[in-house]
Amino acid sequence: FFPWLVCRWRGGDCWCRTVVSNLPYEDQRPRNQPNRRYAGNAVKTNKYTLWSFLPINLCEQFRRLANIYFVGIAALNFIPEVNAFQPQVALIPICVILTLTAIKDAWEDFRRYQSDRELNGTPCLVYSRSQHGFVERRWKDIQVGDFVQVLANDIIPADILLLHASDPNGVCHMETANLDGETNLKQRRVKSPFDPLSFNATVICEKPNNNLNHFKGFLEKDQIKIGFGIESLLLRGCTVRNTAAASGIVVYAGHDTKSMLNNNRPRYKRSRVESKMNKEVLCCVFLLFCMCLIGAVGHVIWLKTFSSVPIYFIPDSDGNETPSVVAGVYRFLTMIILLQVIIPISLYLSIELVKMGQVFFITQDIDLYDKEKDMRMQCRALNITEDLGQIQYVFSDKTGTLTENKMVFRRCTIMGTEYPHTENGESGKWVGQLWSHQDTTVGRDNILPALPMDRHRHRDSTAGIPSLAFSSPLEREVIPDQNLLWSVKEVERRGVAGHWGLQGATHLEFFLALAICNTVVVSTETAQRQRVRVRGPHNSSRSRGLLPECMEGLFAQFPCLRQLSSCLKSVSCRRHSLSEDPVQSTLYDIPTSSSSVVSEDEVQASSLAGPKEVHYEAQSPDEAALVHAAKAYGFTLLERTPSHVSVRLPSGTTLTYEVLDVLTFDSVRSRMSIIVRHPHTKEIILYTKGADSGIMERLRVIANKTQKHLDMYANDGLRTLCFTRKVVSEKNYYDWLVLRQGAMAAIDRKDELVRKTAADMETNLTLLGATGIEDRLQENVPETIQALREAGIQVCVLTGDKLETAVNIAYSCKLLDQQDLVFTFNTENTFSPALRREVCKNMLSGTLAQLPLYDTQEAKVSVGLVIDGRTLGLLLDSDLQEGFVQLCTHCRAILCCRTTPLQKSRVVTLLRSKLGVMTLAIGDGANDVNMIQAADVGVGISGQEGMQAVMASDFAISRFKHLKKLLLVHGHWCYNRLANMIIYFFYKNVAYVNLLFWYQFFCGFSGTAMIDYWFMIFFNLFFTSAPPIMFGIMDREVSAAVLLQLPELYRRGQHEGGYRRSTFWIAIADAFYQSLVCFFVPYWTYKGSDIDIFTLGTPMNTASLFTIIFHLAIEIKSWTVVHWVIMVGSVVVYFVVTLAFCAMCVSCNPPSDPYWTMQEQMSDPMFYLVCILTTVVALLPRYTLHALRGTLVPSDHLRARQIDNMPPHHRDLWLQEWKKLKDLCASYPSLSSSTAQRYSTAQSPSLTLVQDPSPALAQSPSLTPVQDPSPSLVQSLNPKLAPNQGLNSAAL
Amino acid sequence: MMASSYNAKEEDGHHSGSVGPGGPGTGKSKKPDNTAFKQQRLPAWQPILTAGTVLPAFFAIGLIFIPIGIGLFVTSNNIREFELDYTGVEMSSPCFNCSQTYSWNNSCRCSVPFTLEQPFESNVFMYYGLSNFYQNHRRYVKSRDDSQLNGDKRFLTNPSKECEPYRMNDKMPIAPCGAIANSLFNDTLELYYVYPNGTKTAIHLVKTDIAWWTDKHVKFRNPAGNNDNLTITFQETTNPINWHKPVYELDPTEPDNNGFINEDFIVWMRTAALPTFRKLHRIIQKKDSLTPTLPPGNYTLDIAYNYPVRSFDGRKRMILSTISWMGGKNPFLGIAYITVGSVCFFLGVVLLVIHHKYGNRSSNAEIPN
């Protein structure tokens, strides 16, 4: 339990954990077990036990300030001089709140306990010496040092050092879906085979830590050390796939496992409304202080008016009178008790309830449900629902968020020859046209319009016409370009496999590179996810059903496993072939569940007999698309193991390359490489693929033609990848290998060194060709962006893609408009940093100088901004920040390309902090995690790239288009509801408590309450608690349909229209007025009569209830059945409870017994007259003002509500009219000036702008010889003001 | 919060279910129910407050309130009320001498003559009024023991702590304990009609039925036991310090009005809400339908002046009042109703004008012609 003790005790360093086999000690007593000090595998996530619950829970609850406040007030009540109420009764509220919270905590903890118990009871296989085999045990019985066997499709019970796998290559596949949702397989491999009985080595590894990337240690056996890393560790919670059985020794168990150490509690975000509300609570504290002070001073003054001691003064027990100043202090404290409710402590509880309700309704929305994935919208953060209604900036990733991230191989260029794959493109286009009549979006030349249809229809259509498939089948189905196919066949026909002529070989090499240079894992359909297995008698069917649920339970408790998958990803790539690897393995292994060894001939035979279905598990859809494309040309990737990779050529022969090293992809290099040895020529070949920016500068020969093609692809919005090849000499390779291994073994700056060695190898490359992959826009993306824009939300797209691709996507998704004026900030790579900086500065100042011109123009030109990642890095520096932010405020659209994840988050943080705006970041991949966490609201798209983004997010949706309804409808609703609810809550408390305050003026500020304390508790607890909560959950000002139609309604929330400081003070003022009315109307009515305290309090209480309820009724915008039930119910409950209490309590609560007061009052007609008059007078101003405002200055919301109330066909007409009116208003200024004038004003600044940064332009060519004719500093303006459109809208 | 984390858990659980070994399709679909409630499409009434829509409400309020107000006002005006301040602050007042002493029970008597201009029809209620008497002072209000007053034997001999310092006197428990009881109003008022010839007739004052029925029969009870002889029941207790007689001698003539259930006592114990108050003291029953209960003429109020009010600058009054269904004389409610009704009516007119001027314009502006 105390690993550090172990270390101390062993006298060694504290960095390590030593594990030996438990088997020799199996029969010994526990205290002789060598591994006894390590944590067992039982997990306990529940916080409390039966006995510790009460004290621990109470301690936790008293950490909250509100509870301490409550207890403090209750304690004050126990001081006789001060108390306002019965001390015991004053304890009730705090007890109720503490009890409710405790019950909630207990229930949650019980659920945790249950899931733990299930998990701990899951069966597993542990080696037993006595039985000479693996026997079934429970998870909780596993100890560090045990040998555990995990069969295919079983969940790994602990962190296990893999020592044996049924696969002859010692490879074990692992699926991490339970941790991060990624379904692609990761490989783990055996470093040192073993036999349990004879295992006498000592495992020395690092102490348990939460670093999933990293694990290091060694096996010490007879003075020989065998090192191993993360690639040999099976992680708890993952599932073994495609491997019949894997076994190993447990190194970390239970809470020491990496997955458990990575579990963080969900983070707590405070919403903006709430933090603002806290300031208002402080206002209330101030108000309370003032009122108490008035009470105290008033009491002192009142005391001074008496020359002698009146008979109704009660002396102390010793007969003395309290000095007046001391009495004043006492009264101050009494007043605090009396008026405590003005600080709405119950508000916090109510807000939580309201948010739970809101979240319920959001997740229940059928429009946010994704049929294909069977996923609802998920709210992962439950306390920021209303922030969705205040978003001003949306930062979006491009790939996978705006686009499908389902890649389609579209075109390629080999050796300067372009193969357009026209059929491939046409088939897609044909589909596009088929649907385009449904979709008003007209796609640009080669970009298909968004396809608004559901998946089922696709599947139906693909069944008949396979080539028309898109979504996932589309990735596979690539129609080969006839020319290319022919030339490939020709080349292959001419030469024997592996001995092609140098000229023609490029084509083949290109496809080989496509097939090899990736990290795609192959699995056959049969082996994939099959649940059939050969299992011993220990296979209990019950446990199978249980286990997944347990795992869900375990990981569901800790939604923050975001690091996991990225780490796992990299792990599977990091396979360095070290010297001890089995070299020359020509064996094939098709990983089936039976894991048979198939000879080469057999494979060929089977492949010739009929194409065996192979299934690719790619980590990125690009790779999958490329492998499928290669397959379409006959280059089928058959198998990939860490040591070799096999490709079947079109001729049917199979080449098995030995994999020497894989230089994994990283975003800095933006390329990856694989080093293989050719099976026949034994050449060492380096295949590199990567973005053109990362490749072109490393080429031996500059390839202009290919570059041209690449530019064309990018203009068409395709993602481009370049493929290169390089033959490495043996000497060079081994020289490099030494460096590489040094880098891999390095401790400091390891990443940097590894990257550097990779870059050293990737030089002097020969370009084979390049590919263009299409990433289709998701459905309804342009509409969504359009709507967000109309809602006043600035949309920024931050992408890692190259500039041209991104710009094209931006145009096609309506982020940029043809009429926009687009500034492009792009500094060329070849500049020196200082010069780049200077250029950047000039551009920025130049642009900024120009911008005010546009703002003042009558025809306001919307400005778009496109920034390159490198430039962005400069702009984010401290001295240019201000300018950049200023620039952003002027731009309608911002597009950042080639950004790193860190830059993404820095942009978000910068704009968020400098502009103080509410930001939302949406993304789907691991590279968006930073950004999602930096923004106020993070939205994750559960898409193709695993679950990291979702894990980090506050809300998870499945399509980008859902953002529209999420923000415009749910965000809007939630914000308005919560804002109104909070305002109402403040109002309610002030209105009620002030009744007591006014009474103090008539009881000598002595702290008497004319309402029984029980009624005051009931008032807050039963009579007026449900309506505001219902109001906060269910009120609906404008219906969803109209909100979606009129996105501009969203703007109110952005400028905090629902919850302003002024709104708060108006509500407080109204509360003061209403409480005055509620007090003084009964006061004047009963003044001078024989009324007693509680009988006077009854009409005040009742009138106050009516006022408060009807006040809400005025505020409620739509009355459903629920509203009626709760509102009427509250009034009924008030009368029933009050009558019952008044009838039953004769002397139950001495000395204040309201016995029969209510009955007495209710038999008096005056009571009703007073209540009616009071209510009417109290609500008259608000009601009148609402009516006047509704008529004289109707808000957009009011108009929208009017439209809402109309019959459907009228509504549509009106909505159209509304929009037309808005357009007219928008274009009105331009109507006044002539169109010609408008045209010129739009043109002229473009000229001046080009002149302005001319110094930079002039400098650049002279300083750096750039071969590329394209200007180093691109200031592209896009003044393609389509005059026709402009005129059309104006004519309307 | 914890509740939230649980909810998130649920969601996550659902998710991993779909990718876990169960696979999609095996479990229930997570498609939300397409019900009106869950999709927030419940049929709703959406009132919109504009001049046009609230007009009827204003006129309705106006039309209903004004008649009610007039009715109330008339009723209030028909109530006869006569008030007589007998504190005796002025030198000329007959009770001046009596008022100069501070002590209780100084048995000073004085009589104040007064004239009723109008006859008092129907039953006449006689109140005593005190002003500047803060019966609603917090500590004063608490200084009582309802259990004791309810006849609970345990509290009779051991009164509640709340009664301090009027709980025990000379080691004897006080019954009734507390400051309220201790400061019981103890002036005796007698009313005489003075015939024009100078002879005086005592007017019969009824001293029962002046308290709430429930107070008299439920809330206040003499301790059980020897009901006939309250002296024995209360023998272990002592009278409050300011009283000159024990609780069982409050009304020796009538056993049903003695002890804790003495109505004068009960009325006093119902602490007044405001510092200036009146309390029902006696009732003058109407004799027959022909003669007014109190005919116009001269009257004399004979007072046994015991109750000191000088310590708090208080005033003592005697009030004669008839009552109606709305209680005593109070023109406020009637005036208020008339005022509010008129204001509403006026606002209705204003809104009508506004509606005609702007209401149509704003809705017409967008209607396409």
Side-chain angles (χ1 to χ4, degrees), chain A residues 879-894:
Chain A
D879 54 334
L880 296 179
Q881 265 182 11
E882 293 291 335
F884 174 58
V885 170
Q886 208 185 335
L887 186 61
C888 286
T889 54
H890 288 285
C891 294
R892 200 175 70 118
I894 300 166

Side-chain angles (χ1 to χ4, degrees), chain B residues 87-363:
Chain B
T87 323
V89 265
E90 282 103 39
M91 298 284 278
S92 58
S93 170
C95 292
F96 177 73
N97 286 333
C98 292
S99 72
Q100 290 312 299
T101 48
Y102 273 96
S103 79
W104 304 73
N105 314 322
N106 55 354
S107 303
C108 174
R109 297 190 78 88
C110 56
S111 57
V112 185
F114 63 94
T115 310
L116 291 181
E117 309 285 343
Q118 309 265 334
F120 279 55
E121 312 283 344
S122 76
N123 288 348
V124 177
F125 288 73
M126 183 186 193
Y127 298 87
Y128 61 86
L130 291 172
S131 54
N132 213 19
F133 192 105
Y134 283 80
Q135 241 197 339
N136 56 11
H137 189 283
R138 183 176 56 91
R139 295 193 56 198
Y140 182 82
V141 169
K142 290 198 303 180
S143 186
R144 63 191 287 162
D145 186 349
D146 280 348
S147 302
Q148 190 192 46
L149 299 173
N150 198 28
D152 194 324
K153 278 259 178 189
R154 287 167 298 167
F155 292 91
L156 183 69
T157 48
N158 185 19
S160 156
K161 291 263 188 302
E162 300 284 352
C163 286
E164 291 285 3
Y166 304 106
R167 184 167 163 264
M168 305 288 260
N169 189 16
D170 290 340
K171 305 268 163 60
M172 290 275 274
I174 296 175
C177 74
I180 308 177
N182 189 44
S183 58
L184 177 70
F185 181 80
N186 58 356
D187 281 0
T188 315
L189 305 176
E190 285 160 6
L191 196 60
Y192 295 93
Y193 179 68
V194 184
Y195 289 99
N197 58 12
T199 55
K200 297 202 296 188
T201 332
I203 294 167
H204 180 63
L205 303 172
V206 179
K207 56 188 172 187
T208 51
D209 282 341
I210 55 172
W212 290 13
W213 188 92
T214 48
D215 279 3
K216 169 122 182 169
H217 294 95
V218 183
K219 197 170 175 178
F220 287 79
R221 258 187 244 156
N222 278 326
N226 203 338
N227 249 342
D228 299 334
N229 197 343
L230 286 174
T231 323
I232 298 167
T233 315
F234 286 104
Q235 67 181 350
E236 287 171 7
T237 65
T238 182
N239 53 313
I241 301 153
N242 288 343
W243 291 16
H244 62 277
K245 55 189 174 187
V247 66
Y248 49 84
E249 279 173 20
L250 281 174
D251 188 359
T253 57
E254 209 171 326
D256 272 354
N257 195 25
N258 203 3
F260 287 157
I261 55 171
N262 177 271
E263 292 201 26
D264 281 334
F265 173 68
I266 294 173
V267 166
W268 180 255
M269 291 306 285
R270 190 158 275 282
T271 48
L274 300 166
T276 298
F277 60 89
R278 62 176 71 164
K279 281 184 186 291
L280 188 54
H281 189 51
R282 295 289 182 264
I283 296 171
I284 307 164
Q285 303 253 319
K286 189 174 173 64
K287 274 161 266 166
D288 51 74
S289 52
L290 294 174
T291 50
T293 321
L294 292 178
N298 292 329
Y299 293 83
T300 307
L301 180 68
D302 271 20
I303 303 138
Y305 199 110
N306 295 322
Y307 205 68
V309 291
R310 271 195 56 185
S311 65
F312 52 93
D313 290 333
R315 293 302 182 93
K316 296 197 281 191
R317 291 162 295 147
M318 188 279 302
I319 300 129
L320 294 171
S321 171
T322 61
I323 67 164
S324 68
W325 57 269
M326 57 170 284
K329 193 181 182 79
N330 186 353
F332 167 76
L333 209 56
I335 294 170
Y337 260 93
I338 294 171
T339 317
V340 173
S342 314
V343 166
C344 281
F345 201 85
F346 172 72
L347 280 175
V349 173
V350 170
L351 286 174
L352 192 68
V353 173
I354 288 173
H355 178 61
H356 272 279
K357 261 189 138 175
Y358 303 94
N360 290 337
R361 190 202 64 175
S362 71
S363 55

Side-chain angles (χ1 to χ4, degrees), chain A residues 779-800:
Chain A
E779 50 192 324
N780 291 349
V781 166
E783 289 86 342
T784 308
I785 288 184
Q786 186 77 25
L788 294 182
R789 178 111 8 100
E790 280 175 41
I793 300 172
Q794 273 219 21
V795 183
C796 310
V797 172
L798 311 174
T799 176

Side-chain angles (χ1 to χ4, degrees), chain A residues 20 29 46 103 158 174 216 268 291 302 307 339 418 428 466 504 541 653 709 748 786 805 856 883 899 964 1115 1246:
Chain A
V20 297
R29 278 181 300 172
N46 49 329
I103 288 171
M174 183 170 87
K216 64 178 178 184
Y268 185 82
M291 285 159 76
W302 179 74
S307 45
L339 307 176
E418 216 269 320
S541 58
T653 48
H709 291 147
D748 299 332
Q786 186 77 25
T805 316
T856 53
T899 49
K964 183 176 170 187
E1115 296 295 323
S1246 64

Side-chain angles (χ1 to χ4, degrees), chain A residues 350-364 379 382 385 970 974 977 1029-1030 1032-1034, chain B residues 7 37-38 40:
Chain A
S350 307
I351 286 177
E352 238 171 74
L353 289 173
V354 163
K355 284 183 177 173
M356 275 172 73
Q358 289 180 344
V359 162
F360 169 79
F361 276 119
I362 295 178
T363 52
Q364 287 294 330
C379 293
L382 291 118
T385 46
H970 289 294
C974 288
R977 287 166 179 177
I1029 288 173
M1030 167 218 54
I1033 297 174
M1034 294 196 58
Chain B
N7 225 331
F37 175 71
K38 285 191 175 174
Q40 306 191 61

Side-chain angles (χ1 to χ4, degrees), chain A residues 259-276:
Chain A
S259 66
M260 292 297 280
L261 288 170
N262 261 281
N263 293 335
N264 302 319
R265 294 260 152 218
R267 65 203 167 127
Y268 185 82
K269 268 193 181 176
R270 172 156 287 169
S271 78
R272 184 175 283 196
V273 169
E274 250 175 278
S275 43
K276 211 171 154 196

Side-chain angles (χ1 to χ4, degrees), chain A residues 560-849:
Chain A
C560 300
L561 285 164
R562 56 184 88 96
Q563 288 181 21
L564 256 183
S565 67
S566 57
C567 309
L568 291 167
K569 233 182 191 173
S570 60
V571 165
S572 60
C573 303
R574 194 181 300 162
R575 291 168 297 230
H576 13 276
S577 26
L578 295 173
S579 49
E580 71 257 26
D581 281 352
V583 192
Q584 295 302 336
S585 153
T586 48
L587 283 181
Y588 273 97
D589 173 43
I590 296 167
T592 56
S593 59
S594 55
S595 91
S596 56
V597 182
V598 188
S599 77
E600 193 171 343
D601 293 344
E602 272 170 5
V603 170
Q604 286 189 9
S606 69
S607 62
L608 286 171
K612 189 165 184 177
E613 189 64 40
V614 284
H615 194 95
Y616 296 125
E617 310 253 1
Q619 281 160 23
S620 84
D622 299 76
E623 292 195 335
L626 292 173
V627 172
H628 281 295
K631 194 174 158 228
Y633 284 95
F635 295 81
T636 314
L637 177 69
L638 284 181
E639 199 223 346
R640 173 184 298 279
T641 66
S643 58
H644 60 265
V645 53
S646 312
V647 181
R648 187 173 64 226
L649 300 180
S651 58
T653 48
T654 302
L655 287 181
T656 302
Y657 289 87
E658 181 200 335
V659 178
L660 298 177
D661 206 344
V662 177
L663 313 178
T664 49
F665 179 85
D666 67 62
S667 51
V668 179
R669 275 159 57 228
S670 67
R671 58 183 174 266
M672 74 152 292
S673 304
I674 186 166
I675 305 173
V676 293
R677 191 188 293 274
H678 195 280
H680 301 301
T681 61
K682 303 293 177 203
E683 277 177 315
I684 295 173
I685 307 168
L686 169 87
Y687 289 108
T688 306
K689 78 158 188 248
D692 54 348
S693 61
I695 295 280
M696 284 305 176
E697 62 199 43
R698 295 180 168 269
L699 287 184
R700 222 158 33 131
V701 188
I702 302 295
N704 277 333
K705 267 189 185 169
T706 309
Q707 181 64 55
K708 224 174 277 171
H709 291 147
L710 283 174
D711 293 343
M712 183 181 77
Y713 289 175
N715 279 330
D716 288 350
L718 300 181
R719 294 158 71 92
T720 54
L721 279 175
C722 297
F723 287 82
T724 64
R725 177 178 187 263
K726 173 191 178 185
V727 177
V728 187
S729 70
E730 293 278 330
K731 184 183 175 300
N732 279 351
Y733 173 69
Y734 285 111
D735 288 351
W736 174 81
L737 190 63
V738 173
L739 290 175
R740 178 73 172 175
Q741 277 168 341
M744 297 303 280
I747 296 163
D748 299 332
R749 298 157 58 227
K750 180 179 169 183
D751 288 345
E752 201 181 312
L753 284 171
V754 167
R755 200 181 301 142
K756 191 176 168 298
T757 54
D760 287 346
M761 181 50 102
E762 293 157 338
T763 50
N764 286 330
L765 308 167
T766 313
L767 187 72
L768 293 170
T771 56
I773 297 170
E774 182 185 340
D775 188 6
R776 213 177 288 267
L777 271 189
Q778 280 188 19
E779 50 192 324
N780 291 349
V781 166
E783 289 86 342
T784 308
I785 288 184
Q786 186 77 25
L788 294 182
R789 178 111 8 100
E790 280 175 41
I793 300 172
Q794 273 219 21
V795 183
C796 310
V797 172
L798 311 174
T799 176
D801 249 335
K802 59 184 293 181
L803 196 127
E804 290 80 8
T805 316
V807 166
N808 268 293
I809 292 282
Y811 274 111
S812 65
C813 70
K814 295 271 172 70
L815 180 72
L816 294 174
D817 198 76
Q818 293 296 346
Q819 301 182 30
D820 283 356
L821 183 65
V822 179
F823 294 96
T824 306
F825 279 55
N826 182 9
T827 45
E828 196 63 23
N829 309 339
T830 39
F831 283 173
S832 71
L835 179 63
R836 259 206 314 259
R837 190 180 192 76
E838 197 56 37
V839 169
C840 189
K841 211 171 185 172
N842 283 338
M843 279 198 293
L844 190 64
S845 56
T847 318
L848 278 175

Side-chain angles (χ1 to χ4, degrees), chain A residues 370-500:
Chain A
D370 187 45
K371 203 191 276 175
E372 188 189 5
K373 293 178 197 151
D374 190 33
M375 266 180 67
R376 289 178 187 182
M377 140 103 211
Q378 291 178 44
C379 293
R380 303 174 54 82
L382 291 118
N383 39 15
I384 54 168
T385 46
E386 75 278 8
D387 276 356
L388 288 174
Q390 294 180 280
I391 302 300
Q392 285 159 286
Y393 274 75
V394 166
F395 297 90
S396 171
D397 177 39
K398 185 179 75 66
T399 314
T401 306
L402 299 178
T403 61
E404 293 271 9
N405 200 16
K406 291 194 171 157
M407 304 301 170
V408 191
F409 178 82
R410 284 290 306 277
R411 319 177 85 159
C412 65
T413 165
I414 304 170
M415 285 302 282
T417 317
E418 216 269 320
Y419 297 97
H421 288 71
T422 39
E423 284 142 349
N424 206 18
E426 267 169 17
S427 66
K429 213 180 235 174
W430 186 76
V431 176
Q433 280 159 5
L434 187 71
W435 296 104
S436 60
H437 66 273
Q438 289 186 357
D439 192 340
T440 50
T441 337
V442 180
R444 286 164 51 80
D445 278 347
N446 284 305
I447 292 165
L448 292 174
L451 295 162
M453 51 198 230
D454 62 36
R455 293 299 147 123
H456 291 269
R457 280 159 78 189
H458 307 180
R459 296 235 165 97
D460 293 345
S461 65
T462 52
I465 319 155
S467 60
L468 280 185
F470 61 112
S471 84
S472 45
L474 193 67
E475 284 168 16
R476 291 176 213 160
E477 302 298 333
V478 178
I479 306 169
D481 190 275
Q482 289 306 318
N483 290 337
L484 183 58
L485 198 64
W486 182 83
S487 51
V488 168
K489 289 226 169 99
E490 189 64 19
V491 171
E492 222 201 355
R493 198 169 47 81
R494 270 192 279 131
V496 192
H499 300 282
W500 308 307

